[in-house]
Amino acid sequence: MSIDWNAIRTTIQETQQTLETDTPSPAVRGAILQRRADQLAERNAAPNTTADTFAVLTFTCGNEHYAVSVQSVLAVLPIRTLTPIPCVPTYYRGIINWNSKIISVLDIVSLFEGAAPSPQREQFVVVVQGSGLEIGLNVNTVGVVTEIAQRTLVSAQTIGQDWLDGISAVSAEGLTVLNADQLFRDPRIHIYEEA
Amino acid sequence: MQKRIEFGAWIGFGGWVCGLLLIQDFNFWVAGIALVFVTLLPLMLRHSPYAAPVVIGGQALAYSVVLVLVKDAQTWLAVAPLAALVVSNSLYIQGYHNEWGLLVLWIPLSQLINPNVGLTIEFLGPVVLCVGIIVLYRQYPLSSASVQTISTPRMQTTAEHVGVWFSRLDEVAQNLNANAGTIQPVISQQSGRIVQQSSALLALQNTLNELDARYRHTQQMAQELSTASYDNTSRLEVALTAIQHSERDIERADKSLQDVGQGLGRLALHMRRIGQVITLMNDLATQANFLAMNAQIEAARASEHGQGFVVVADEVRDLATQSRLATKTMKELVQEIQQAMLDVIDIAEAGDGTLKASLQSAHEANQSVTHVQSVATTQTVGIQSLVTALDQYREGLLQLKSSLETLQQLSTQDQTTTHMIDHLSQTIGQLTGNLLMIIAEDNP
């Protein structure tokens, strides 16, 4: 069986051509820009963009899907160096350095369910601001920024989830919407030095 | 001739009986020996070419014995007719050729045997008698003139005429017989020799033919061998060339494989670099993803003022996600390429080993074939010299053969002549025998 060297050469030349055409043509660029403009026009034309809806960031933690208002989100970042703190509850994962600020990182699964945190959860940190505090939430995956309607939300009190004020509502998509202000006012997350 | 010998033998027997009667102190052994020599031996040898000398010699011996035994002059006189009988008998057998010579020989022989005799009357008496007989025989040969005289009215009686006629006839017969007897032994001897020679020549020719056949076979074999040897040599040449070619090809292939190996090494370095780049790209995509996410968040926080930026941030995040996916695909592809390269390296390594072994084998084959070729060349030269030697040998053989043929032709001619002579001789003998028969029957 003889080898078809020319076929191999042709393949390599094709690869070369593919590599050389790295910049999109002006037509492609124009199409992209047109698409963006259309999207923007669509958003501006939408009637319910004012008070009825609000933007949230979704993320997962354990088996649960969560959402938090983008107004309270400061940043999303990967965990690079997480410094553990001694003599703290299990949901307190440690501290990180974010923009020269010390941020505490909490594991919300441990916080809500009381289970021990698994090491695979140390993926991302969502820095959330509420009631004068800036606290990092350790999450598994970060989802998207999306708009949810205020009226689809079901209050936590009506479904009996009153043990934690932070859980304010459950959306129609099954998202657990967190209220950062209420969550960080909960005394259980406040740690005091015990003499 | 045979009849004449028999006749002579019986005459000798009669003479012997007379001698026995004449001699008083007779010795049994001497008489027996004389009988053997005088009668029995000639009768036994009557078919032999030596029959005539035997009968003459035997009778002469017998007479000599008688002479030895004779004591006095009286007996000598008694023996004289016996001597005449013997001598005439001899002459009769021999024809008329040697009668005087025999007589002359007899005189000193008898003197030698019995010195007492001397040149006395007792001795000379028989001699004179013999001479008289011979003279008488010669005086009255049977001539044509005497035959013609038969018809004349004043001639002898009819019986006398017949007697003379028969004596003349007898003479002729004796003459013929004598001649035939002389020729016969010679011819027989020569014939025997020729037969011997001829058979020897025939054997020699057979041997030569055999040698020639063997030579042809050997030459054919030598030529076949020579051709085969030449073929082998040329084949070896071809094989050697092929081996050298393949050796060079293998060396080239080895060189190419080394180039391939070096190329693979460079490729491996490039692959490592590509892996590093992919890692960097993955990192960049992750960072871009986070940036896009944060941009989305910031845009959302800016509410109405950030509407345009939300679109861009969404786009950026999509791109970041796509980059990550593309990077992941590239990573997989690079892993596949790495696996393929490892396979290629394994194959090339195995091929390298095989090539090295092949090169070694080719070197060995080259050496072996060169050795075989030198041996074959030596062999070819040897075979060619053998063929030349065989050709020379064949030339000698052909010369020998032609000589033999000439010799054989001569021999055949000789043989024909001999046969003719033999036939002639036999015819003469037969004629003589017939004549003798006629004489014996008709002679009163």
Side-chain angles (χ1 to χ4, degrees), chain B residues 9 17 19 37 84 94 101 115 146 154 182 212 276-277 282 301 304 331 347 350 372:
Chain B
V17 173
F37 278 106
Q94 282 292 96
S146 61
R154 53 177 192 90
T182 315
D212 196 32
Q276 287 168 353
V277 170
N282 197 27
R301 277 158 70 96
E304 283 173 27
K331 200 173 148 187
I347 291 162
V372 170

Side-chain angles (χ1 to χ4, degrees), chain B residues 167-200:
Chain B
S167 68
R168 296 298 295 235
L169 201 60
D170 193 21
E171 203 176 306
V172 174
Q174 273 182 356
N175 203 353
L176 269 176
N177 202 359
N179 282 327
T182 315
I183 293 164
Q184 184 79 19
V186 178
I187 286 170
S188 301
Q189 219 169 346
Q190 200 184 355
S191 178
R193 269 196 221 119
I194 285 166
V195 167
Q196 278 176 358
Q197 197 183 8
S198 176
S199 61

